[in-house]
């Protein structure tokens, strides 16, 4: 049985304006001026990559920079910069170069945003702090990579 790897690549030097929703993995090394949702697989913001908007995925790895909220339904690894609130359901790892400017919140999996219809996709990135559910947990659950590897 042949397995195909489905991944979208935004290469260095590329710039995309607008929101993106993909049903597979994505690696961004360029500029994305808009929100991004990956419904399955890995959402990777590589070194030199910049997302100016919300980033959401099952498994999220940030080696570049995100200027907006980050939602991770599974695992989250940050080795780059995030200027925005972080919402995660599973595990989180902060690397030695991680820089965070925002709040860190562990939430129930059902409280995460998911792309379900074209109407939902049109409103990507428009969720405001006042609209977030009041029952979100606010205590951090952070593991530093250096401690995890020791």
């Amino acid at each position: 049985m042949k397995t195909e790897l489905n991944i979208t690549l935004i290469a260095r030097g590329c710039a995309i304006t607008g929101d993106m929703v993909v049903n597979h993995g994505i690696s961004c090394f360029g500029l994305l001026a808009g929100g991004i949702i990956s419904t399955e697989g890995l959402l990777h913001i590589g070194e030199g990559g910049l997302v100016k908007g919300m980033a959401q995925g099952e498994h999220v790895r940030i080696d570049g920079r995100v200027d907006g909220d980050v939602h991770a339904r599974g695992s989250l690894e940050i080795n780059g910069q995030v200027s925005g609130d972080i919402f995660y359901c599973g595990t989180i790892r902060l690397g030695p170069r991680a820089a965070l400017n925002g709040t860190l919140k562990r939430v129930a999996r059902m409280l995460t945003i998911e792309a379900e219809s074209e109407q939902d996709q049109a409103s990507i990135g428009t969720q405001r702090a006042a609209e977030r559910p009041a029952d979100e947990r606010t205590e951090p659950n952070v593991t530093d990579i250096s401690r995890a590897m020791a």
Side-chain angles (χ1 to χ4, degrees):
M1 180 171 147
K2 183 177 178 183
T3 303
E4 292 185 29
L5 178 64
N6 290 324
I7 190 163
T8 298
L9 174 65
I10 302 172
R12 284 185 173 81
C14 291
I16 297 176
T17 302
D19 299 329
M20 287 184 68
V21 178
V22 297
N23 63 355
H24 52 271
I26 186 163
S27 286
C28 176
F29 294 92
L31 168 66
L32 176 60
I36 185 167
I37 292 178
S38 174
T39 60
E40 295 178 19
L42 175 67
L43 168 57
H44 179 223
I45 311 302
E47 286 189 43
L50 171 60
V51 174
K52 291 185 175 184
M54 182 192 69
Q56 178 191 335
E58 184 70 28
H59 303 285
V60 180
R61 180 175 177 166
I62 300 171
D63 294 321
R65 185 171 138 196
V66 176
D67 291 341
D69 292 350
V70 174
H71 299 257
R73 294 183 304 274
S75 61
L76 172 63
E77 183 176 346
I78 301 173
N79 297 305
Q81 297 177 313
V82 176
S83 293
D85 295 338
I86 297 172
F87 303 89
Y88 68 101
C89 303
T91 61
I92 183 169
R93 291 190 202 182
L94 299 178
R97 295 173 300 152
L100 307 176
N101 184 14
T103 61
L104 189 63
K105 296 181 182 180
R106 182 173 176 90
V107 296
R109 185 171 174 88
M110 67 180 154
L111 296 179
T112 60
I113 299 171
E114 303 230 4
E116 294 179 3
S117 69
E118 289 183 20
Q119 184 178 15
D120 290 340
Q121 293 173 8
S123 65
I124 184 175
T126 60
Q127 181 184 24
R128 303 283 185 250
E131 298 170 343
R132 293 188 184 119
D135 61 343
E136 290 178 338
R137 293 176 47 186
T138 57
E139 67 256 17
N141 183 14
V142 180
T143 302
D144 188 293
I145 286 182
S146 60
R147 281 190 307 190
M149 296 176 77

